Amino acid sequence: MTTESTLSASSGSAELIEGFQVDCRIRGMAPGSIPRYLSVIKIFCGYLNAHEICLIDVDRDVLRGFLEYLRLERGVSHKTLENYFTVLSSLYEYLAYEGFVEKNPVLPVRKRYLKRYKENDEGQMRKLISVEEMAALINSTMDPRDKAIITLLAKTGIRRNELVSLDVEDIDWVDQKIRLKPAHKRTNRIIFFDDETAVVLHRWLRARKARKGCDSPALFISDWGTRINRNGVYQVVTEAAKRVGLHNPSSDQMEDHFSPHCCRHWFTTHLRRAGMSREFIQELRGDVRREAIDIYDHIDKKELRESYLAHIPQLGILFDEDLLRRSDWRPESK
């Protein structure tokens, strides 16, 4: 391929990627996800340009070469490889839909080379910790922001993106509930929190007043004063888990890693073990209803809240004793 044709192919790829970006927005993809998708595609296009390959000419051999490049030259982990090829699969589904390629070439490559093989009868399971271990994790976290992040993830089961997008004004202190931002993965947008969580959040809001970026609407702000991002939340959780021996970043075993999503796993499992009904758990998780008949299952919010408060594990979170004794620990409602 000549230099002129390479430049032409690169220009054509840019137009295809721009179309894919528009398609992502139309499909309702979370705004924070699109830049991450584009970052992966940029790396892929850099690999293609280095080998003078056009985006629409990619086949399984090219994808295998890219996979080998990521593993051997960039040292990318298996989980990150899965994420990369999920992005590429989404891109080529779009290109196939629009007629630019005949079919998605990523699917068979993912199935053959990125499948996780079971190493025992149970296979690799996401890490599940006990109530006592969760209490130790939270109580060992001294920073009020980090403590609030882990507590809220564990006590509500919300996803990382949902936590990142929270604003201070989303909290209803009177009924102890939070209204989440709209998201295509979630049906129920109302989540509840208990007294333990309320005190932890209140302590963070007091400390937040002295932090850079305290005028931001975001509930959780980074050390630079901006809204905390997904990576920031990941680092908060994994660093805290590493300190108490719950996270081993050097292990290849999934059960040795404790990520923010493990808090959602913890939330679901321990509510179920405490006896909460499956329907109530699904509602609190905001799971997409799979069958048409499910939309007629109206769940009373008052009953849901009472069931949540009755079943959510109490962690014995350590606070300042004088704060617990105060009767005015809740912020005034506006």
Side-chain angles (χ1 to χ4, degrees):
M1 184 180 291
T2 65
T3 302
E4 183 178 352
S5 60
T6 301
L7 291 173
S8 177
S10 177
S11 176
S13 296
E15 294 178 0
L16 296 177
I17 295 168
E18 184 177 349
F20 173 66
Q21 186 175 357
V22 172
D23 182 72
C24 288
R25 289 197 294 266
I26 294 174
R27 288 188 292 119
M29 182 179 289
S33 297
I34 295 177
R36 293 195 302 276
Y37 270 48
L38 295 179
S39 177
V40 171
I41 294 172
K42 181 180 179 181
I43 293 172
F44 182 56
C45 286
Y47 174 83
L48 296 182
N49 291 338
H51 292 79
E52 300 184 342
I53 301 170
C54 183
L55 190 64
I56 59 176
D57 293 332
V58 168
D59 57 19
R60 63 185 181 187
D61 292 329
V62 174
L63 291 168
R64 277 192 300 222
F66 182 58
L67 180 62
E68 187 176 12
Y69 161 75
L70 292 175
R71 275 183 173 152
L72 300 181
E73 296 189 31
R74 293 179 67 101
V76 172
S77 68
H78 188 91
K79 179 61 178 176
T80 303
L81 287 173
E82 290 178 335
N83 292 338
Y84 274 36
F85 276 76
T86 296
V87 172
L88 295 182
S89 183
S90 180
L91 171 63
Y92 279 96
E93 282 294 328
Y94 161 75
L95 295 179
Y97 177 79
E98 294 292 342
F100 293 110
V101 298
E102 183 178 347
K103 60 182 180 180
N104 181 356
V106 182
L107 294 177
V109 175
R110 286 177 68 190
K111 182 178 180 180
R112 185 167 184 83
Y113 296 104
L114 294 176
K115 179 180 179 181
R116 284 187 181 270
Y117 291 94
K118 295 181 179 180
E119 298 183 357
N120 51 51
D121 291 339
E122 296 181 355
Q124 293 194 31
M125 302 294 290
R126 191 177 297 278
K127 191 178 188 72
L128 174 65
I129 64 175
S130 67
V131 173
E132 292 75 18
E133 286 173 321
M134 181 61 78
L137 172 62
I138 292 174
N139 284 328
S140 69
T141 305
M142 295 295 103
D143 185 277
R145 183 202 65 182
D146 297 353
K147 196 184 197 82
I149 286 175
I150 300 173
T151 302
L152 196 59
L153 287 171
K155 289 278 196 168
T156 65
I158 59 175
R159 300 177 179 90
R160 205 178 347 166
N161 281 340
E162 293 167 343
L163 181 135
V164 166
S165 65
L166 287 177
D167 292 330
V168 176
E169 64 179 15
D170 294 330
I171 303 176
D172 181 342
W173 294 99
V174 175
D175 293 330
Q176 291 188 190
K177 64 184 181 182
I178 299 174
R179 176 174 289 276
L180 303 177
K181 301 295 191 299
H184 72 282
K185 284 187 176 182
R186 174 171 283 272
T187 49
N188 172 42
R189 290 172 52 200
I190 299 297
I191 59 171
F192 304 105
F193 57 91
D194 60 2
D195 285 347
E196 282 190 320
T197 309
V199 178
V200 172
L201 287 174
H202 178 55
R203 291 190 67 192
W204 157 236
L205 289 179
R206 288 202 306 173
R208 184 180 179 279
K209 295 177 181 179
R211 299 284 183 102
K212 183 178 180 181
C214 62
D215 56 343
S216 168
L219 176 58
F220 295 109
I221 51 179
S222 69
D223 295 337
W224 296 275
T226 59
R227 182 184 297 272
I228 197 170
N229 58 27
R230 282 172 52 89
N231 288 338
V233 175
Y234 181 84
Q235 290 175 359
V236 165
V237 175
T238 56
E239 287 299 320
K242 184 179 177 182
R243 284 196 301 270
V244 294
L246 295 175
H247 176 70
N248 180 6
S250 62
S251 174
D252 292 330
Q253 301 297 312
M254 183 184 295
E255 55 265 33
D256 292 335
H257 293 255
F258 191 88
S259 66
H261 196 77
C262 291
C263 293
R264 183 170 171 84
H265 184 44
W266 182 90
F267 171 82
T268 304
T269 302
H270 287 288
L271 282 180
R272 190 65 177 149
R273 288 180 178 178
M276 179 178 275
S277 70
R278 184 184 300 272
E279 292 76 14
F280 277 10
I281 294 175
Q282 289 176 331
E283 185 72 9
L284 289 172
R285 283 171 51 91
D287 290 337
V288 176
R289 294 168 180 176
R290 299 298 181 184
E291 299 182 17
I293 192 67
D294 290 340
I295 66 175
Y296 298 100
D297 292 333
H298 298 290
I299 296 177
D300 181 77
K301 295 297 184 185
K302 181 180 179 182
E303 186 179 357
L304 179 63
R305 181 177 183 274
E306 290 174 351
S307 181
Y308 165 81
L309 293 175
H311 292 96
I312 192 69
Q314 295 303 293
L315 300 175
I317 299 176
L318 301 177
F319 314 109
D320 295 334
E321 290 300 321
D322 60 337
L323 181 61
L324 278 178
R325 286 193 292 265
R326 288 176 54 187
S327 60
D328 61 338
W329 57 265
R330 288 191 183 92
E332 296 182 0
S333 58
K334 295 181 179 180

